[in-house]
Amino acid sequence: LFVTINSTAMNLIFQVSLILLSITLIGIVLRYLKQPLILAYVLAGLILGPSIFNISVDKNILDIALTVCLSVVLFIYGLKLNFKNISFLGTGLLASYFIQFIIFFSLMLVFFISVKLSIIESVVLAFGLSFSSNILSTKLLDDKKDLNNLYGKITVSFVVFQVFLFSAVYIFLQNYRIDLSTEIYLRKSFESFLKVLIVLSNIYLISKFILPRFEKFIAKSSDFLILFSISWGLIIAGALKFLGLPFELGFLIGGIFLSALGFSDVLFEKFRSIKDIFLLALFTVLGLNLDIKVFQNKVFLIFLLVFFIYALRTFLLSLVLRILSFSRRVSFLSVLSYNHIGELSLLLLSINFVNFDGEFKSVFNFLFILTAIISAYSLHYSERLNKYFEPLIGFYLKDLSKEEKPSDIILF
């Protein structure tokens, strides 16, 4: 038994070492070429995965690694998603965002139904494409030091709002069963929704009125601060998991509720090195799950969906922001930092009652990674792209003011 365990452990250490070596070598090349490191993580996983070298990693280990990495990264980036951005920009922005969300979802729903998928499969997939990535939006903005810029605050507002919108959507989808009558389904869903709402309200009140009283005591010791934050995340994730929400989402919400406290920035900096390691692991695991054969079989569908995501969302979001009197530049940069699908989409595909085959999950993995890479490049060259696409944006969005300026002030 000891020999078997020892052999398994050595095999796992060898696989991890090979993955890290591959990431390092690819990262050196991409660093020299001044390319985003996200590409190195994905390429390492893709090269070592079933597509090329076919390094065999136990699926259970991959699933556990994905859950752990996703939970940790979501919690850490949740510390940067401050509620104050919503109050700063006003509820009019969120109402407009919700309208474009519904329009985008409806169009994607029609598309999936038209390709002969069932209604419930179409609903799940349409919702999956309608949510953006909390990780990518926050990471790319943080890397550019633009979280406190106007377009950064707009993006953060969208991301925070969609977390709670996703929670509501997940509850209603999770409670769906074919054998349930509409009345029973709605009653169960509203009961679950009410329970989650009560729990979230209590967590908000605790973070708003009770935790600030102990803020200095908690932050006095670095070790205790880290211990408290991990315990806080675990308790909230466990409570929400008990109510039917994904464990990873609970960690994200835990981070968001800590973001308004004074020590959130200090805590984020303490977790920065850990965050980078887990982010590396997350994209590498996603890369290991990619199968190039699926990409070859579904290449038309994948690029068609990428086109829909960028064309529709770019038009709808920029239209909404221009109607609210934001400049072309701010509207365009907000779209670039938000325009991708993300980890929430992957969580939707794991809902129990929908038996998506491996190809569907691979398609969404490819979409997540492709839009992540496109977003990384887009924000890296955002100012150049803004100048290049400004005439096109101006073609369908006329100036609402006589002069465009890089910084905007909006009054509600």
Side-chain angles (χ1 to χ4, degrees):
L1 178 62
F2 174 75
V3 173
T4 304
I5 294 172
N6 190 45
S7 175
T8 304
M10 289 301 296
N11 187 42
L12 182 61
I13 291 170
F14 171 75
Q15 290 172 353
V16 172
S17 301
L18 189 59
I19 290 169
L20 290 175
L21 177 62
S22 302
I23 292 170
T24 303
L25 294 175
I26 297 171
I28 290 170
V29 175
L30 293 178
R31 188 86 174 180
Y32 177 76
L33 297 173
K34 298 181 179 180
Q35 304 302 311
L37 282 179
I38 284 179
L39 193 56
Y41 307 158
V42 176
L43 284 176
L46 186 61
I47 291 169
L48 296 175
S51 304
I52 300 178
F53 286 111
N54 196 23
I55 299 295
S56 59
V57 181
D58 189 271
K59 189 179 183 301
N60 292 328
I61 293 176
L62 284 180
D63 290 341
I64 293 170
L66 187 60
T67 299
V68 172
C69 293
L70 198 53
S71 300
V72 173
V73 174
L74 283 172
F75 176 76
I76 295 172
Y77 277 118
L79 296 169
K80 285 291 184 179
L81 301 177
N82 200 324
F83 275 112
K84 292 178 181 178
N85 289 306
I86 296 178
S87 58
F88 169 75
L89 292 166
T91 54
L93 180 68
L94 297 185
S96 303
Y97 165 80
F98 183 71
I99 292 170
Q100 74 80 29
F101 178 91
I102 294 298
I103 295 172
F104 183 86
F105 163 76
S106 302
L107 293 172
M108 295 312 303
L109 180 62
V110 170
F111 169 77
F112 285 120
I113 291 175
S114 68
V115 295
K116 310 300 182 184
L117 291 179
S118 69
I119 296 293
I120 190 60
E121 286 177 337
S122 299
V123 168
V124 173
L125 293 174
F127 271 125
L129 292 182
S130 300
F131 291 105
S132 184
S133 171
N134 304 273
I135 293 172
L136 289 174
S137 294
T138 316
K139 173 186 167 43
L140 295 173
L141 288 170
D142 181 56
D143 289 347
K144 290 195 71 178
K145 311 298 181 187
D146 282 350
L147 276 169
N148 292 319
N149 287 356
L150 182 55
Y151 87 90
K153 289 182 177 180
I154 291 171
T155 305
V156 168
S157 297
F158 289 164
V159 168
V160 173
F161 181 67
Q162 79 163 8
V163 169
F164 297 100
L165 180 60
F166 175 84
S167 301
V169 168
Y170 193 93
I171 289 168
F172 279 89
L173 289 176
Q174 181 70 14
N175 281 291
Y176 177 81
R177 297 291 182 276
I178 297 175
D179 56 341
L180 286 181
S181 65
T182 304
E183 183 182 351
I184 295 175
Y185 162 67
L186 290 176
R187 189 179 73 245
K188 285 187 66 176
S189 297
F190 278 113
E191 285 176 357
S192 299
F193 179 76
L194 188 60
K195 290 176 183 176
V196 171
L197 188 62
I198 291 171
V199 170
L200 290 178
S201 299
N202 285 321
I203 295 171
Y204 172 75
L205 292 174
I206 291 171
S207 64
K208 179 74 174 178
F209 299 106
I210 298 178
L211 288 185
R213 296 176 181 272
F214 300 94
E215 195 170 337
K216 290 183 179 178
F217 173 76
I218 295 171
K220 188 177 291 186
S221 166
S222 297
D223 293 338
F224 184 74
L225 176 61
I226 293 172
L227 178 63
F228 168 79
S229 63
I230 293 172
S231 301
W232 171 267
L234 283 170
I235 290 169
I236 293 177
L240 294 178
K241 177 67 176 177
F242 179 76
L243 296 176
L245 290 177
F247 192 75
E248 300 91 333
L249 184 66
F251 263 98
L252 173 60
I253 291 173
I256 291 173
F257 279 118
L258 284 182
S259 65
L261 297 176
F263 56 70
S264 61
D265 288 335
V266 175
L267 191 58
F268 182 82
E269 291 303 319
K270 289 185 179 299
F271 280 131
R272 185 176 287 277
S273 57
I274 299 174
K275 172 211 63 174
D276 292 336
I277 293 170
F278 278 96
L279 192 64
L280 180 155
L282 173 62
F283 279 96
T284 304
V285 170
L286 287 173
L288 285 168
N289 280 317
L290 294 180
D291 188 347
I292 202 70
K293 292 179 181 178
V294 174
F295 181 79
Q296 291 170 345
N297 294 333
K298 301 288 184 180
V299 63
F300 178 75
L301 175 63
I302 290 170
F303 280 103
L304 184 62
L305 290 174
V306 169
F307 171 77
F308 279 151
I309 291 167
Y310 279 92
L312 286 176
R313 195 178 281 165
T314 298
F315 176 77
L316 291 171
L317 271 180
S318 55
L319 180 63
V320 163
L321 293 171
R322 290 293 285 145
I323 289 172
L324 291 172
S325 300
F326 290 100
S327 72
R328 288 178 185 172
R329 177 180 178 276
V330 167
S331 302
F332 185 70
L333 294 180
S334 299
V335 170
L336 289 184
S337 59
Y338 185 79
N339 214 357
H340 34 249
I341 71 163
E343 61 285 341
L344 298 182
S345 307
L346 304 179
L347 294 179
L348 274 180
L349 293 186
S350 64
I351 287 179
N352 295 329
F353 70 87
V354 185
N355 295 317
F356 289 115
D357 58 27
E359 283 199 351
F360 263 114
K361 293 182 178 180
S362 291
V363 166
F364 264 74
N365 282 338
F366 273 112
L367 285 174
F368 178 38
I369 288 171
L370 277 175
T371 54
I373 293 170
I374 293 171
S375 294
Y377 278 104
S378 299
L379 269 183
H380 186 71
Y381 299 105
S382 57
E383 295 299 337
R384 294 183 190 177
L385 289 172
N386 179 53
K387 291 178 181 178
Y388 182 79
F389 284 106
E390 192 171 12
L392 178 61
I393 298 172
F395 177 74
Y396 68 89
L397 295 176
K398 294 182 179 180
D399 289 340
L400 301 183
S401 59
K402 293 183 179 179
E403 184 180 0
E404 294 286 354
K405 295 180 180 179
S407 60
D408 295 7
I409 298 176
I410 181 167
L411 299 176
F412 286 89

